[in-house]
Amino acid sequence: MSRVKQPVIEQAPAPDRSDDERFAAAAWTVLAEPTDKLAAMLIAHMGAAESYAWVKSNATLPAGFEKYQDALSAWRLRLHKNNPETICLQAADLGIGFLAQGDEGWPEILDTVPGESPWGIWVRGRIPLQPMVAVVGSRACSQYGRSVAAQLGAELSQKGYCVVSGGAYGIDSAAHSGALSADTPPLAVMAGGLHKFYPAASSEMITQVANTGAVVSQYPPGYSPSRWRFLARNRMIAAFAQATVIVEAASSSGALNTAKHARELGRILCAVPGSVRSPQSVGCNELIRSGAQLVTNAAEVAELLTPLDQLPLPKYRPVEPELDRVWAALPLKTASTLDRIATKAGYSLERTGAYLGQLVMQGRVVHEGQKWRRAKQ
């Protein structure tokens, strides 16, 4: 089986004051969790630099955002406790770079889901450019699961695919180790800042990933992993990959959360079958029963991916009746005011403004002064 050496981008630079928009995007990772939909709406509404300057000021909330006073208080509390400029300087000292949307080397696959793309990611290493496949599973895996994950990692890497995983014990570590044995650089997604790697016992292996490929996080240096951050990390793993392969998963495994996100994001979901008598394979066998692709080796995964190497991923948009109602209230070709849109949609000005902000974030609506219009498709 031939090995394919793949291109990588140059190391992402650390953010600094020389670029206000990039610095502000990095600052927002300090102020808000990546799952903060209001922060994403505000950034889409005002831009990273303007919205960050607004949070730092004593300005009042813009129209449509009045009911989010609690969020503003939380952002300003974090700003008081964590200085973004200090964190960016620390990142530079540690060799941690930052990529904002639109930067050279930004992973375009993250933009295939409107409204879900992060406003920035922290990076150690160089993000590979080739198609990615996530290989994940239970921490408490069997020897069978560990062996399959390592083989998948090695074979996918030999075929020129970047293996994405979370650096955790068990299946994740086995997949990364397998990928490191081949030529294609892997990618690890962390649930905390890149100032130190978690879990500590996997630090040496994750460092090898950073030295050959990249380790990324939505969280700035100094932020520790937590349960909700692992769940957000799982979504990022699924977002990076064209396909997600669950190698081994018990009925309550966190890998099933990654599988759920892969389905929601319109990605290909695969699972490796296991013994019906093995508790570690209950989750995988159930995924297959509910429609996941059954795979046993890298060739079968690659066969599913072949069309995606040539065609762009379809953009997934969740069914959101409230947003669609506001969307339908917009004129087909002209812009309209907030009160006219609210009157037609049958919502309050406050709710309509909030929904319009979400539509702006999804790229479906453009805000022009005091009016909104449909974006050109």
Side-chain angles (χ1 to χ4, degrees):
M1 192 177 296
S2 62
R3 297 185 177 186
V4 181
K5 193 168 181 88
Q6 296 291 334
V8 295
I9 66 164
E10 292 303 312
Q11 168 69 44
D16 57 47
R17 280 296 189 184
S18 64
D19 187 327
D20 287 345
E21 199 66 23
R22 289 187 75 254
F23 175 80
W28 268 109
T29 69
V30 177
L31 302 188
E33 294 290 315
T35 53
D36 189 329
K37 292 184 183 291
L38 178 60
M41 287 168 54
L42 193 64
I43 292 168
H45 182 73
M46 301 173 69
E50 185 179 347
S51 58
Y52 175 58
W54 169 76
V55 171
K56 290 180 67 179
S57 73
N58 292 319
T60 57
L61 287 153
F65 290 84
E66 291 83 356
K67 68 178 180 179
Y68 298 108
Q69 184 62 49
D70 285 347
L72 176 60
S73 298
W75 298 334
R76 286 177 173 164
L77 178 61
R78 276 199 176 175
L79 182 61
H80 177 70
K81 299 288 186 181
N82 303 284
N83 186 328
E85 292 194 26
T86 300
I87 288 174
C88 288
L89 289 172
Q90 292 171 343
D93 290 341
L94 293 169
I96 300 171
F98 182 79
L99 287 175
Q101 285 182 343
D103 280 352
E104 182 181 358
W106 175 261
E108 293 184 0
I109 195 169
L110 296 182
D111 296 327
T112 60
V113 186
E116 296 288 342
S117 180
W119 49 80
I121 51 175
W122 297 87
V123 185
R124 282 184 66 173
R126 298 172 174 84
I127 297 181
L129 297 177
Q130 75 276 17
M132 301 186 184
V133 177
V135 180
V136 297
S138 294
R139 290 175 174 82
C141 66
S142 67
Q143 185 55 44
Y144 159 78
R146 188 183 303 277
S147 173
V148 171
Q151 182 176 346
L152 274 171
E155 292 180 354
L156 285 167
S157 184
Q158 287 171 334
K159 287 179 174 293
Y161 293 102
C162 169
V163 174
V164 186
S165 200
Y169 297 126
I171 297 300
D172 289 20
S173 292
H176 280 313
S177 296
L180 287 167
S181 70
D183 286 340
T184 308
L187 178 75
V189 185
M190 299 285 101
L194 303 183
H195 58 294
K196 62 179 179 179
F197 295 142
Y198 179 91
S202 297
S203 181
E204 183 177 347
M205 183 269 294
I206 300 172
T207 299
Q208 290 179 354
V209 173
N211 290 339
T212 57
V215 180
V216 303
S217 177
Q218 292 178 272
Y219 304 97
Y223 279 44
S224 301
S226 59
R227 184 180 184 279
W228 71 86
R229 288 175 180 162
F230 279 109
L231 296 177
R233 185 277 309 267
N234 291 346
R235 190 170 184 81
M236 277 292 287
I237 291 174
F240 264 110
Q242 291 184 351
T244 293
V245 183
I246 311 298
V247 174
E248 197 171 56
S251 59
S252 59
S253 171
L256 299 180
N257 177 252
T258 308
K260 170 178 172 288
H261 289 312
R263 275 179 165 155
E264 289 176 349
L265 297 175
R267 307 299 199 240
I268 295 170
L269 177 61
C270 308
V272 176
S275 169
V276 297
R277 294 185 174 86
S278 171
Q280 289 101 325
S281 290
V282 169
C284 285
N285 292 339
E286 178 57 31
L287 285 174
I288 294 167
R289 196 173 75 88
S290 63
Q293 296 284 338
L294 186 156
V295 294
T296 60
N297 56 51
E300 292 171 356
V301 177
E303 181 181 321
L304 296 170
L305 287 169
T306 300
L308 291 178
D309 291 340
Q310 304 163 13
L311 300 174
L313 288 173
K315 290 190 174 183
Y316 162 84
R317 181 170 63 83
V319 177
E320 299 168 293
E322 297 89 352
L323 298 190
D324 287 341
R325 187 160 137 188
V326 172
W327 164 260
L330 287 158
L332 292 176
K333 295 183 179 180
T334 60
S336 185
T337 60
L338 178 63
D339 59 342
R340 287 184 180 178
I341 299 168
T343 299
K344 188 170 182 179
Y347 291 129
S348 67
L349 291 174
E350 187 177 76
R351 288 185 67 187
T352 303
Y355 292 147
L356 284 168
Q358 292 182 54
L359 289 167
V360 168
M361 179 181 69
Q362 293 183 356
R364 300 171 65 192
V365 167
V366 175
H367 187 203
E368 298 176 336
Q370 299 300 314
K371 293 185 177 182
W372 285 261
R373 64 170 176 82
R374 297 186 180 193
K376 293 180 180 179
Q377 301 298 312

